[in-house]
Amino acid sequence: MAVDMGPRRDVPDLEDLSREQRIEAMVAWFFDNFEDPAELTPYESAEGGYQWIWGGPYNALEEIGDAFADFASDEEMQAAADEVESDGLHEWAPNHNRMIEVDEEDVEDVLPPLSERIAALRGQLDQLDEALVGLGQVAPQMGHNRPPEGMRLGLSDDDIREARDSVQDVRGELDKPDPLTNGDPAVLSRAEGRFRSLAIKVRQWAMAAGKLIAAGVAAQVGAELWDDPVALYHKLETIAGTLNHWSSFMQMLF
């Protein structure tokens, strides 16, 4: 089975609600249907940022207006959109809860063949290792002088060291003759686990720090430190996904 993005959820009934309740209902409807692209949308810095494979970017006022134009006033819809964007985010992706399973033959596969993804790993690992070196320099700075809670990166030297060790391990697997059929599932699975664990921590920091930056609370953190963790998160997830499929393929051979 494959996945596709399902339709928007039905709009709620606004009749007999107060102004505040109507705005609250529209905001809730929006977040039922749309989300921060950092949740799931692929990110490729070399391709200009987010790859909107599920549609988007979507604008809060436009989507709320399309859904509620017959049921709410312009002022109420604007207030709802302002509430949605209160954290500073203005581009939205479809909510991943709308994903539905469909037959493989009904959709075009969004991923290239595994052999091509494995071939791309070496360059991705080089980029990842470079990012990890930079992150190792950033992490201590994010924890000193009692920074705001959201600015504490939460990564240890061991996290970064283990991730870099796994970069080397996977490079070793790529150096084998015909790596597609000769990879070590244990090595691949260990690397996948480390990369996903690191991705979770980076994503948590990136989302929290982004809100602080948008609010002007953390002006000392420049755009580069914000962009890099976001790109790093998606790089980690991309590599981990390839390792997962590679390991599964190897286990099917035996």
Side-chain angles (χ1 to χ4, degrees):
M1 301 294 285
V3 295
D4 199 2
M5 194 60 63
R8 293 171 174 80
R9 308 286 172 82
D10 292 338
V11 299
D13 184 2
L14 302 184
E15 190 175 357
D16 298 328
L17 297 182
S18 67
R19 175 185 178 278
E20 289 73 19
Q21 290 172 328
R22 291 157 70 86
I23 293 171
E24 182 179 346
M26 287 187 282
V27 171
W29 173 88
F30 184 86
F31 285 122
D32 276 344
N33 286 280
F34 302 94
E35 67 185 14
D36 185 335
E39 291 287 343
L40 197 63
T41 303
Y43 185 97
E44 287 291 340
S45 55
E47 298 295 329
Y50 286 111
Q51 307 301 297
W52 305 92
I53 61 173
W54 307 116
Y58 294 100
N59 174 272
L61 182 58
E62 290 179 1
E63 297 307 317
I64 290 173
D66 286 346
F68 293 95
D70 294 335
F71 312 106
S73 69
D74 290 346
E75 185 274 332
E76 289 171 334
M77 291 186 291
Q78 182 65 63
D82 290 344
E83 175 63 25
V84 166
E85 297 180 341
S86 61
D87 285 335
L89 186 63
H90 302 285
E91 293 186 332
W92 302 87
N95 192 304
H96 67 274
N97 290 325
R98 288 164 50 193
M99 285 186 172
I100 56 176
E101 290 188 348
V102 295
D103 291 336
E104 292 280 358
E105 58 267 23
D106 291 339
V107 296
E108 180 180 356
D109 192 0
V110 297
L111 293 175
L114 178 58
S115 59
E116 293 183 13
R117 297 170 67 195
I118 291 175
L121 267 178
R122 194 177 298 278
Q124 293 171 348
L125 289 169
D126 290 344
Q127 294 172 348
L128 173 58
D129 199 35
E130 182 179 354
L132 289 171
V133 171
L135 192 61
Q137 298 168 350
V138 170
Q141 300 174 29
M142 295 297 98
H144 76 315
N145 293 335
R146 300 182 63 83
E149 183 66 29
M151 297 307 298
R152 297 172 190 169
L153 190 52
L155 294 180
S156 67
D157 290 340
D158 285 343
D159 290 326
I160 297 173
R161 176 184 54 77
E162 289 180 355
R164 295 196 69 197
D165 286 347
S166 283
V167 167
Q168 290 300 109
D169 291 343
V170 177
R171 283 172 173 161
E173 297 303 302
L174 292 171
D175 287 337
K176 293 180 177 179
D178 191 14
L180 175 61
T181 59
N182 285 301
D184 184 336
V187 171
L188 301 177
S189 294
R190 181 174 64 246
E192 178 199 353
R194 287 176 174 176
F195 294 156
R196 289 199 190 278
S197 177
L198 184 61
I200 290 171
K201 294 181 180 180
V202 170
R203 178 179 173 277
Q204 289 172 340
W205 177 83
M207 293 184 69
K211 293 177 181 179
L212 291 174
I213 292 169
V217 175
Q220 72 272 22
V221 179
E224 289 185 2
L225 296 189
W226 162 238
D227 289 341
D228 285 351
V230 174
L232 175 58
Y233 165 76
H234 290 285
K235 185 66 65 180
L236 286 162
E237 283 294 322
T238 297
I239 294 172
T242 299
L243 296 179
N244 176 271
H245 290 173
W246 187 4
S247 176
S248 297
F249 177 78
M250 287 300 308
Q251 294 176 45
M252 290 172 56
L253 296 180
F254 300 99

